[in-house]
């Protein structure tokens, strides 16, 4: 039968497997100024890599401080990427454009096309590989909504590692599906705070109904790591090496846009710790930092957890128990009690240091949205494009729709690209709440950022 | 950066968009003997197409009885296919092969890669298009597990049709996620039996807790269609035109296997009504019917609903209220009370007539499995390949694993291909029951097949 001549190549843009980038992009050497160094949680002095070897696999620590612009993806990781499968397609949202009646063009990168349904495996696979290669037997981590935990559980099962996950209790109870997913992949999942750690025990003693937080779960995972032999800790966002692994998203996207001769004017994503946004945006940001382009970068967060729109740019702990090194970032304070919004992946008090620096220097603009306006946008996307996106992702869908409507007024033919970093198939009860007008909007909780370091 | 040389082309096999088949394959003219004609439910005489025009869109009725071997895919449908996205990849399950230690090669076609997560959109999009093109305002259908209902709801929203879905009450209550999915896409969803139809009312009067069945839901959807203007009925399986639309799966697969110079020895799939199996298998069956190949075809069903392994090959109704034409098929009787297995998509009493003819003539072998052996296979697949499959699909995964282990004994290097027709992300509570040893196996219910026609 003859080939079809009606296919619209801009509609679904693929990248051949053997053109998948072979290296990750490390933005550190290209930043407008050096990152403020992480500080030792006890001495508050800059920390050297060595003590971190007990927490993370060596290679990951070295990547954390690497000055190399491009870092080779190991063959085993590359192979696992191809198998996810990667490269992931880019879709042009023509039906959404038509529905909005906008002259703008809207594209999204499909990072939900893999077994766990989000971008998280891009780093989970790399972290599982480096730990296995070092001879580590067990990795331990925390998870909020469960995207990271299920991705690390899957990656661990693929590389033959044991995996333990501390899952924020509110999600553990509200999202049994994600918990089951991790168990299918053979992971040991406990609700945090738990009785498995001293810190967890102390919290449960004072409040048996403590519904937990990402900061608490990180503290428990770290304590577990530090008190067990041949165990290392894995983190799903915030750190440089996690953002590094995620740049496969943007590196692929650049090639895909070049293949159809398109240059995005706006790069957009949601931010929890910052890894999906950075992974998509940094390869494009490299050109802006070199003054080659004038692309706009928009980071979207919840009004209930407004780290970059209402937080303070200062040194703070990454966890509640004050075990982690201090990072300079936009923070709501490491004791911030995030309201129970459905976007569990965006409930973290801080954000990635490199992302925060770029926001602080004006290279990235950040905006905040309430839960209901976010789900309204998600339903518009679903009814026009068919795709049901994660509540986290829907934060940037809201921006994209608003920007496209602005273009309708001004007549601008902007090219808007966003990272569709997760599907919402395990978040349908949140959609149900929205459709039945039971969804609540939340004001931010009390923001209390301790001044830990004189700057 | 250079191209990678480590990519294993057999691992994920793509097909370029513009090589997606432009025509569906109609097996009717190639069958070993003509299909027994559908019979009028009242006169029990062969029914002519005309009365069916009130039930289905005209074009679909004509496809139902078409003698053309290839039928062109309309441009609007082709475009929507590309956008799903299609073609879908074929994956080689090397990790599963390695885990089993088998010399056999295992491949699967990824039909879960679309917003609703199953093969159902292949026909839902075509049916929505033909109804819209005819000027129909509303389509009505039934759904068991929800894969078909959510796919028709999505397709209807894409083509601007109203959509009403009668959802088997047991699924409506057990699977709120699927219900929400349909509502996100704007469909009107009611639990069946419902008070919206006379038949539903009569059932609820005698048993207010009637948990429903696919046969009952079909009866209600048909009554709704026949009592409302400008409304047509859509069916998700069993009928010739539905199987026709699904052949895009096998037509793509043949091209993909040819591109890596592989000829499957075994083609395998699960059967509920038969559409995913037929869609994958019939393009390969065409060669077997022409004696060109000696491929084995294996259809997998649940022991609790053993239509083809313990049913009778005879004329029966497609629904409980005896409204549909009679079809000659393997059936457990149109009043069969399927046990509440988690594979809601496999709880139908009958099967597609063309499929049943090919089983009866020995071209297809069918096998039956219990729920626990099916979930065991699904967890082996998940822990080796990462992919969490639907309980329905897991029935053929069980066969594939057993066959691969037989090859291990005999040393045969068989090439086994199965249709991975759905993911299990909305079936995680079933996995949870399995992992916690709470999953029950069921014997078949009483099989009572009335002799309706002298043959």
């Amino acid at each position: 039968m003859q080939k079809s001549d009606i296919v619209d190549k801009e509609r679904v843009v693929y990248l051949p497997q053997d053109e998948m980038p072979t290296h990750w992009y490390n933005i550190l050497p290209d930043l407008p100024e050096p990152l403020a160094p992480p500080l030792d949680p006890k001495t508050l002095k800059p920390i050297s890599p060595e003590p971190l070897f007990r927490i993370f696999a060596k290679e990951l620590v070295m990547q954390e401080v690497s000055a190399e612009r491009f870092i080779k993806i190991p063959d085993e990781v590359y192979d696992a990427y191809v198998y996810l499968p990667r490269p992931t397609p880019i879709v042009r949202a023509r039906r959404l454009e038509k529905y909005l009646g906008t002259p703008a063009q809207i594209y999204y990168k499909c990072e939900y096309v893999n077994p766990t349904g989000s971008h998280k495996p891009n780093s989970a696979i790399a972290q599982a590989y480096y730990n296995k290669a070092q001879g580590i037997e067990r990795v331990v981590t925390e998870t909020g909504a469960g995207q990271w935990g299920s991705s690390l559980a899957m990656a661990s099962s693929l590389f033959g590692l044991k995996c333990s996950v501390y899952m924020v209790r509110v999600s553990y109870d509200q999202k049994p599906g994600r918990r089951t997913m991790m168990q299918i992949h053979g992971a040991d999942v406990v609700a945090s705070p738990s009785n498995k750690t001293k810190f967890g025990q102390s919290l449960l003693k004072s409040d048996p109904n403590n519904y937990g937080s990402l900061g608490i779960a990180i503290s428990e995972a770290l304590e577990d790591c530090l008190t067990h032999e041949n165990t290392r800790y894995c983190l799903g966002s915030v750190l440089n090496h996690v953002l590094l692994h995620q740049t496969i998203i943007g590196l692929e996207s650049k090639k895909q846009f070049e293949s159809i001769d398109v240059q995005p004017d706006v790069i957009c994503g949601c931010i929890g710790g910052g890894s999906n946004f950075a992974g998509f945006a940094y390869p494009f940001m490299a050109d802006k930092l070199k003054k080659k382009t004038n692309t706009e970068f928009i980071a979207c967060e919840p009004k209930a957890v407004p780290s970059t729109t209402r937080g303070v740019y200062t040194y703070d702990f990454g966890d509640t128990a004050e075990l982690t090194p201090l990072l300079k970032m936009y923070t709501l304070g490491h004791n911030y009690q995030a309201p129970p919004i459905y976007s569990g992946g965006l409930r973290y008090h801080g954000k990635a240091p490199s992302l925060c620096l770029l926001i602080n220097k004006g290279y990235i603009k950040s905006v905040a949205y309430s839960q209901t306006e976010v789900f309204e946008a998600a339903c518009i996307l679903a009814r026009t494009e068919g795709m049901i996106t994660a509540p986290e992702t829907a934060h940037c869908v809201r921006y994209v729709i608003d920007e496209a409507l602005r273009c309708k007024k001004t007549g601008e033919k902007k090219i808007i690209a966003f990272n569709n970093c997760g599907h919402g198939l395990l978040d349908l009860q949140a959609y149900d709440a929205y459709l039945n007008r039971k969804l609540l909007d939340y004001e931010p909780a009390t923001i209390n950022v301790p001044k830990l370091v004189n700057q």
Side-chain angles (χ1 to χ4, degrees), chain A:
Chain A
M1 283 168 284
Q2 75 279 22
K3 283 195 177 195
S4 170
D5 49 7
I6 72 152
V7 172
D8 168 1
K9 289 283 185 189
E10 278 179 21
R11 199 153 219 202
V12 185
V13 185
Y14 293 97
L15 186 69
Q17 291 171 73
D18 57 5
E19 286 183 29
M20 186 172 77
T22 55
H23 293 63
W24 292 302
Y25 168 61
N26 174 20
I27 199 171
L28 296 187
D30 294 333
L31 288 173
E33 66 184 47
L35 274 190
L39 305 182
D40 182 291
K42 295 189 182 52
T43 67
L44 298 189
K45 298 268 172 282
I47 193 169
S48 62
E50 291 66 23
L52 298 174
F53 291 159
R54 179 59 187 88
I55 300 177
F56 300 103
K58 280 201 187 67
E59 275 301 320
L60 297 170
V61 175
M62 299 323 291
Q63 290 178 354
E64 190 64 21
V65 296
S66 172
E68 280 182 55
R69 186 167 279 114
F70 290 102
I71 296 176
K72 185 177 187 307
I73 301 171
D75 287 356
E76 295 82 350
V77 174
Y78 195 97
D79 184 64
Y81 277 178
V82 170
Y83 207 24
L84 260 178
R86 299 205 70 87
T88 58
I90 283 179
V91 168
R92 175 150 178 203
R94 282 201 192 275
R95 293 196 188 104
L96 176 59
E97 292 171 14
K98 191 176 170 198
Y99 171 82
L100 298 172
T102 180
Q105 295 180 24
I106 301 171
Y107 292 88
Y108 59 83
K109 176 73 164 166
C110 301
E111 282 303 299
Y112 52 82
V113 183
N114 66 59
T116 57
S118 81
H119 65 290
K120 294 293 190 185
N122 298 330
S123 187
I125 285 169
Q127 294 188 46
Y129 164 75
Y130 286 117
N131 275 282
K132 182 69 176 181
Q134 189 181 317
I136 301 301
E137 279 173 14
R138 183 176 71 110
V139 289
V140 52
T141 194
E142 72 290 326
T143 197
Q147 280 95 340
W148 169 247
S150 52
S151 299
L152 189 66
M154 176 185 73
S156 299
S157 75
L158 299 184
F159 285 97
L161 278 168
K162 287 184 195 147
C163 179
S164 302
V165 184
Y166 290 84
M167 186 174 190
V168 176
R169 184 174 298 274
V170 61
S171 299
Y172 185 93
D173 297 334
Q174 282 180 4
K175 300 192 172 185
R178 283 280 172 196
R179 183 185 73 217
T180 302
M181 222 168 153
M182 295 183 250
Q183 291 164 335
I184 289 171
H185 290 303
D188 171 37
V189 189
V190 292
S192 167
S194 76
N195 279 312
K196 285 205 162 191
T197 67
K198 289 203 166 51
F199 183 61
Q201 288 159 15
S202 70
L203 292 173
L204 290 174
K205 187 180 270 180
S206 57
D207 175 11
N209 302 321
N210 186 317
Y211 63 72
S213 74
L214 218 43
I216 292 170
I218 293 172
S219 300
E220 286 203 273
L222 268 173
E223 183 183 327
D224 180 321
C225 167
L226 293 168
T227 51
H228 291 86
E229 278 313 299
N230 219 345
T231 296
R232 291 293 182 275
Y233 170 68
C234 293
L235 190 65
S237 190
V238 179
L239 298 178
N240 299 334
H241 68 271
V242 183
L243 276 52
L244 171 77
H245 303 147
Q246 293 295 351
T247 57
I248 187 70
I249 302 170
L251 291 164
E252 281 180 6
S253 301
K254 278 190 79 172
K255 285 187 162 194
Q256 286 164 295
F257 281 120
E258 285 160 13
S259 75
I260 55 169
D261 211 0
V262 164
Q263 170 69 46
D265 300 304
V266 181
I267 294 287
C268 184
C270 64
I271 50 172
S275 75
N276 99 74
F277 179 89
F280 181 52
Y282 281 7
F284 295 93
M285 178 62 73
D287 295 335
K288 181 166 183 160
L289 291 166
K290 295 184 199 109
K291 312 270 186 293
K292 281 194 203 163
T293 63
N294 197 12
T295 314
E296 293 173 68
F297 293 86
I298 311 293
C300 306
E301 64 187 13
K303 277 186 177 166
V305 192
S307 306
T308 69
T309 48
R310 295 182 60 178
V312 182
Y313 187 47
T314 184
Y315 270 106
D316 195 5
F317 291 99
D319 72 320
T320 308
E322 307 187 347
L323 296 174
T324 70
L326 283 76
L327 300 173
K328 189 172 183 189
M329 58 184 175
Y330 281 99
T331 175
L332 299 165
H334 60 282
N335 288 306
Y336 186 71
Q337 295 282 345
I341 55 171
Y342 279 102
S343 298
L346 307 185
R347 295 178 71 247
Y348 188 60
H349 66 278
K351 298 285 174 277
S354 60
L355 175 72
C356 295
L357 175 67
L358 289 165
I359 289 174
N360 184 257
K361 296 291 176 189
Y363 288 87
I364 299 169
K365 180 182 156 201
S366 63
V367 293
Y369 295 107
S370 70
Q371 222 172 199
T372 46
E373 52 192 352
V374 156
F375 274 92
E376 185 199 26
C379 287
I380 291 171
L381 182 73
R383 291 182 186 183
T384 52
E385 297 295 308
M387 197 272 155
I388 296 174
T389 196
E392 291 85 352
T393 314
H395 285 72
C396 65
V397 175
R398 176 78 265 174
Y399 180 85
V400 168
I401 289 175
D402 293 349
E403 180 68 8
L405 291 174
R406 276 191 290 275
C407 289
K408 185 179 183 176
K409 286 209 188 78
T410 62
E412 286 174 282
K413 295 190 168 72
K414 275 192 180 178
I415 296 168
I416 306 167
F418 71 97
N419 189 21
N420 204 334
C421 62
H423 63 59
L425 297 186
L426 277 79
D427 302 285
L428 292 171
Q429 83 278 24
Y431 278 90
D432 188 54
Y434 169 74
L435 292 170
N436 292 292
R437 295 188 175 66
K438 290 178 188 158
L439 201 65
L440 301 176
D441 281 329
Y442 296 93
E443 285 305 302
T446 314
I447 300 172
N448 168 24
V449 184
K451 196 168 192 328
L452 302 162
V453 180
N454 292 319
Q455 298 167 69

